[in-house]
Amino acid sequence: MAKQAQRLFGAITLEGGFWRIECEAHVRSRLKRMFPQVNQRAGDVVMLSDSDENSRELLWFTERFPMKVTPLKWMRQRAAGHIESENRVIELLAHRRLLEDFELAKPPRDYQREAIMLAMLKGGLLLADDPGIGKTVTAICGMSRQQHLPALVVTLSHLTNQWRKKISEFAPGLNVHTLKSGRPYDLLPKAKCRRKQQPELFADDPTTSPKLPDVIISNYHKLHGWSDVLAGLVRFVAFDEVQELRHTDSNKYAAARHIASKADLRLGLSATPIYNMGEEFHSVIEVLLPGALGTREEFLREWCVDDQRIKDPKAFGAHLRREGIMLRRTRKDVGRELPPCQIVPHTINSDRRELEKIRSTAAELARVILASQQAFQGQKFRASQEFDALMRQATGIAKAPFVAEFVKMLMASEEKVIVYAWHREVYTILQEQLREFNPLMFTGSESAKQKEEAKQAFIHGDCRILLMSLRAGAGTDGLQSVCKVGVFAELDWSPSVHHQCITRFWRDEQDEPSMAYFLLSEDGSDPIVSEIVGVKKGQVEGVTDPDAALIESLETDPGNMKMLARAYLEKLGEPIPAESKNQSVAQESAAELV
């Protein structure tokens, strides 16, 4: 008796990097539920990107609903590749895989070796470990392998010298060159005029030709000009503070993606990789592991809500870790816990005359923010920005003289202190009133050279107070060797900004308990901001828990601004728009959900 032919429910073909699926209507309905990343409004044809993971799951789907697959062999190869990669990741992170050796002048720790091995296994990795536990050394481990040279390090302008010193400390045999210009020039030194100046770039035999640097260091702004030169030349790219690549519409992003696409190994480093929209995660991962999260459209459909925020950050984080796309460990996870850092909220006086100066303007802006008319959304957005800037600046100025007095008191027992602020007017007051301690600036206004000079004067010189911007010190290392106390003269809306500031002095090599003082006024913006970011509870939590949400907003949440506007008008005893009162509970609840 002839064998009955298997019933087929449709056909799957490979077209331009996508699986083209044509199947019966009821199967198509199941397929859309199985693959939330596909266009849920697709008609007769459903398109799904050809990734290892998608191929594996699509192959599994055809076991339930058989279809003719062309080419079937390719789908099976992709599925087998995903299974093998998944098993290797599980073995490595479960410590069932022997760690490789990486020859450095100072031996790397096991968790640093584990991270670079995962990157080598996948071809790319987002390393989001806690600040200060050695992400830089993980990258240097990769540079110790000849097959990864030449390597490229891309970082912030004020961190290029720090990277050079770290490489010299852990891999002194590597020849390092920092790009001097955004316009390409010959990376090979001229034998006659450069042999004496840079003998390390030449082989031991003086008759041999000069060679390329082993490691090239660039800031993000120079990258665009060097894109065509470095693409295909460098084999390993380490992107420090990789959140700089969250926007796809910039020249630096285009350059980074082009260079990374030609490299064998890509590593992204950041304790806070994403700040605002969840779609930014796709932008970053697309540089490090192209296609790992599918197309942008697939990613938004599967993981994001309408406003492009991650709808379930914990589930998304679990997916990233399971797939070996991201590795994220706390100090406790790697056995590098520090002496505690105590968070101290401290109430200080403020000059209410400064707040009185803005009363009329601030009250009017508050009323605009709380207005319910949808027709004025643009006006309300501008009012929110202006109100936020006005309130926080006035609050900072009103507190500044009293902050200075508090810092003077600290200086009687502390050798050196970092003071965090934001507004230029606040820096001016603090500089004047603390001039006996030779305060220097490390803010967004100084050049990379000026920042480095201020840092070195603080570590090695007579500068006893470093005035640092809340958002200007990302990645800065070395301050912990001379300082264990930070003072927040002003607040940020983002808890992770405070956490990053604290980790400038509370990090590896800090062998004493640390203190972070948050100086709070009872007037102005402080009461609301401190409540929202958890300062009043003595809690300043960064995005460090491996199971915590991944997304940290640096934008001012509209719900928070409405809370501040209502609190301000109530403090003044002025009427609040009636409809705003009725909507206040719903607005606050919505803000919490976001």
Side-chain angles (χ1 to χ4, degrees), residues 89-139:
V89 170
I90 291 172
E91 287 177 0
L92 179 62
L93 298 184
H95 311 298
R96 298 199 301 264
R97 193 180 184 92
L98 188 65
L99 294 178
E100 298 178 14
D101 291 326
F102 297 88
E103 297 297 328
L104 299 180
K106 295 181 179 180
R109 300 180 182 119
D110 286 352
Y111 66 85
Q112 293 166 334
R113 293 194 291 160
E114 180 182 74
I116 194 61
M117 283 181 62
L118 180 57
M120 291 164 60
L121 175 67
K122 298 288 294 185
L125 176 70
L126 171 58
L127 184 58
D129 286 346
D130 258 4
I133 62 174
K135 294 188 290 293
T136 301
V137 177
T138 296

Side-chain angles (χ1 to χ4, degrees), residues 172-214:
L174 294 178
N175 303 322
V176 181
H177 177 77
T178 303
L179 296 182
K180 300 176 177 61
S181 167
R183 179 175 297 178
Y185 52 83
D186 191 357
L187 290 172
L188 288 171
K190 300 298 184 291
K192 291 184 178 179
C193 63
R194 299 283 296 279
R195 192 180 302 278
K196 291 184 178 180
Q197 296 175 2
Q198 291 184 290
E200 72 278 3
L201 295 183
F202 295 82
D204 293 336
D205 183 354
T207 63
T208 59
S209 301
K211 62 176 183 177
L212 287 168
D214 295 314

